[in-house]
Amino acid sequence: MSEIKNSILIVEDSEVSISVLTDILGDSYNLHVARNGLEGIDMARSIIPDLMLLDIILPQMDGYEVIKVLKNEPKTSGIPIIFVTALKSVDDERKGLQLGADDYINKPYDPLVVKLRVDIQMRIVNHLRTIRILSEEIESWMREEK
């Protein structure tokens, strides 16, 4: 029996960064790619990925605006987001985290750090999914017992 892979939406305009992230994560996860902020929002709404890797500097709409939109919509507000960016200042990192990002990774990427941070977020996603499923099963069982 094969295990279902978690999905990641990469929102990134740099082909080099997309290639690097694909090399690091492609064997472990189902990857989807959007090349600008508006496309990223549309794809997030349609596929509801398990995790999103979001660049800040993007054409059409920057990552800060993208996260604001996604965190304000019930359908997408629960998607964990990791900013992946060349912006290295503490102010940029603080802003991203205050807007609801779950983590912040600086470019250039350290492959092991990227893999470990993504794996940590996926463990959290999978634990929460298990809790939700068990909770629904308990609720269903309790309704049947009445």
Side-chain angles (χ1 to χ4, degrees):
M1 183 170 145
S2 66
E3 188 174 316
I4 296 173
K5 290 184 180 181
N6 289 98
S7 63
I8 298 174
L9 172 57
I10 299 170
V11 184
E12 171 65 70
D13 62 324
S14 163
E15 292 300 325
V16 171
S17 289
I18 292 168
S19 178
V20 169
L21 291 170
T22 300
D23 288 346
I24 296 168
L25 302 169
D27 289 340
S28 302
Y29 301 102
N30 288 322
L31 303 180
H32 308 272
V33 176
R35 288 176 170 74
N36 64 62
L38 293 174
E39 184 182 354
I41 290 170
D42 288 342
M43 287 184 75
R45 287 173 176 154
S46 67
I47 65 173
I48 311 295
D50 293 307
L51 177 68
M52 191 167 171
L53 300 179
L54 177 60
D55 191 8
I56 293 174
I57 302 169
L58 292 166
Q60 297 180 340
M61 175 185 273
D62 71 26
Y64 294 135
E65 291 301 315
V66 171
I67 196 171
K68 287 178 190 175
V69 169
L70 295 176
K71 293 299 180 182
N72 284 311
E73 294 183 9
K75 185 176 178 181
T76 56
S77 65
I79 300 170
I81 296 174
I82 299 176
F83 274 121
V84 288
T85 183
L87 299 178
K88 295 182 187 292
S89 81
V90 172
D91 289 338
D92 291 315
E93 185 172 358
R94 184 180 297 124
K95 181 176 181 178
L97 295 170
Q98 287 174 329
L99 287 171
D102 296 273
D103 207 343
Y104 195 97
I105 300 172
N106 289 307
K107 297 176 186 177
Y109 303 121
D110 177 288
L112 182 57
V113 169
V114 170
K115 181 79 169 89
L116 291 171
R117 288 179 185 241
V118 167
D119 289 348
I120 289 167
Q121 289 300 320
M122 285 303 186
R123 279 198 306 274
I124 293 168
V125 164
N126 291 331
H127 288 315
L128 290 172
R129 181 178 292 128
T130 300
I131 291 168
R132 189 183 69 248
I133 290 168
L134 291 173
S135 175
E136 290 169 359
E137 288 176 1
I138 290 169
E139 286 177 15
S140 174
W141 176 79
M142 289 178 71
R143 280 192 301 273
E144 290 174 8
E145 290 294 312
K146 288 185 179 181

